[in-house]
Amino acid sequence: MKEKIYTIPVTDAFNTDCECPMCVLEKKLEDENVEYVLGPFLMEPEGRMETNENGFCKRHFEFLYNTQANRLGLGLIVDTHMVEQNAKLKKNYEDKKNQLKKDADVSFIKNLSGKLSSKQTETRKFVDELIANLNKLENSCTICTRINKTMDRYIDVILYLYFKENDFKELFHSRKGFCLKHLKALLEGTGKYLGPKETAIFVDNLLSMQVENMERIQQEVNWFTKKFDYRNNDAPWGNSKDALPRSIQKLVGFCNLK
């Protein structure tokens, strides 16, 4: 049996009536990690090294700030993160500053073969490397990394329980499918944790329930739109009153909709 520390959150999430149990898992992890980063993690040397290097994505910077739980702690994290990023940017610039000034004074022309001069190629290479570094920073996030690591462990547990515990398999198939983000994650997980035969069985069953539930929610949101027609004023809403936010979640995963 997989460790209880992982099975309990999984079974709890799958016992929740929702459009995607894995969104429940991910949201709980997100809340826990936001709280942790502003608490104990703040004082751990390894934690500060991680936040200095990776920072946070836009979403999680917003979460950390909007909690208003520890503005001083967040300020310390941002301060040292900026010190490290500023130092890297300054070093990159100073290493190439003289070359850039020289190249700025040169009129670049193509030679007969149509190739750019070597100096221009060097400048372009530097700019491309700088862009790559900025892209890496933009796509890095301490909280996302922690969430993704644990979510991958949860996928391992889900696939294990699916084939080892009949009660969980029945629970799995009693749910309403998954958002497309986590459908993809489950499909990716089959390549890591299942053999060919198990993969075929699981994917067949997964897609069958997913198609059924995608069609269900599309019909619900379709009825939601038709309820705005005056001719349907007296018709019952059915399950469609909250179909719009649920359908958005089905497409992109959990998001804060007001």
Side-chain angles (χ1 to χ4, degrees):
M1 175 66 69
K2 298 289 182 179
E3 301 93 329
K4 288 186 178 179
I5 193 172
Y6 288 104
T7 58
I8 292 174
V10 167
T11 53
D12 285 348
F14 273 82
N15 275 302
T16 304
D17 183 18
C18 61
E19 290 295 339
C20 179
M22 291 182 68
C23 281
V24 175
L25 282 169
E26 187 171 66
K27 182 61 172 66
K28 186 172 185 293
L29 280 175
E30 185 173 58
D31 291 342
E32 291 172 348
N33 275 281
V34 167
E35 182 179 354
Y36 182 62
V37 163
L38 291 174
F41 196 70
L42 175 64
M43 304 308 296
E44 296 175 5
E46 290 184 359
R48 291 299 290 277
M49 289 176 61
E50 188 175 347
T51 58
N52 289 347
E53 175 70 21
N54 299 320
F56 304 94
C57 64
K58 178 182 176 181
R59 172 183 172 86
H60 288 129
F61 261 128
E62 290 175 349
F63 266 70
L64 290 165
Y65 182 82
N66 289 338
T67 63
Q68 298 290 309
N70 186 357
R71 296 182 68 185
L72 172 59
L74 181 58
L76 293 171
I77 290 173
V78 171
D79 179 29
T80 54
H81 175 57
M82 292 194 74
V83 167
E84 180 158 337
Q85 299 309 317
N86 289 352
K88 289 180 179 179
L89 183 61
K90 184 177 180 180
K91 184 179 185 305
N92 285 335
Y93 172 57
E94 290 183 342
D95 287 347
K96 296 293 183 180
K97 180 166 59 176
N98 291 334
Q99 183 66 56
L100 291 170
K101 291 184 182 300
K102 289 179 182 179
D103 290 353
D105 295 330
V106 177
S107 177
F108 293 115
I109 59 172
K110 292 185 178 181
N111 60 27
L112 293 177
S113 66
K115 295 181 179 179
L116 296 173
S117 69
S118 60
K119 287 185 177 180
Q120 188 173 9
T121 301
E122 290 172 7
T123 298
R124 186 68 256 166
K125 181 180 178 181
F126 166 65
V127 173
D128 289 343
E129 288 175 351
L130 190 58
I131 292 170
N133 290 336
L134 292 171
N135 281 336
K136 181 180 178 182
L137 178 61
E138 183 180 352
N139 293 319
S140 68
C141 175
T142 300
I143 290 177
C144 284
T145 299
R146 292 174 60 84
I147 290 173
N148 291 339
K149 182 178 180 180
T150 306
M151 286 299 293
D152 185 66
R153 191 75 180 91
Y154 283 150
I155 290 171
D156 182 16
V157 171
I158 289 167
L159 296 176
Y160 175 88
L161 293 175
Y162 185 88
F163 284 97
K164 298 296 183 180
E165 302 287 340
N166 286 332
D167 288 346
F168 180 80
K169 185 174 182 179
E170 291 178 4
L171 176 64
F172 183 97
H173 283 293
S174 71
R175 302 301 84 191
K176 299 175 180 177
F178 302 89
C179 70
L180 295 184
K181 172 186 173 182
H182 289 126
L183 172 67
K184 174 187 172 185
L186 285 169
L187 292 171
E188 289 173 338
T190 62
K192 296 180 182 179
Y193 303 116
L194 296 181
K197 180 179 179 180
E198 290 176 322
T199 296
I201 294 171
F202 180 76
V203 171
D204 183 23
N205 293 338
L206 173 65
L207 292 183
S208 176
M209 68 180 291
Q210 187 70 21
V211 168
E212 178 183 345
N213 280 285
M214 292 297 290
E215 291 177 345
R216 168 190 56 79
I217 199 164
Q218 182 274 321
Q219 292 169 4
E220 290 174 358
V221 79
N222 178 260
W223 181 240
F224 170 85
T225 64
K226 289 181 177 178
K227 275 290 293 175
F228 286 83
D229 187 328
Y230 73 94
R231 290 170 295 184
N232 295 319
N233 281 343
D234 296 329
W237 278 93
N239 294 325
S240 295
K241 186 166 284 189
D242 65 343
L244 185 56
R246 287 190 292 107
S247 63
I248 292 172
Q249 181 193 352
K250 205 72 167 177
L251 291 170
V252 300
F254 179 83
C255 45
N256 289 314
L257 303 176
K258 297 180 180 180

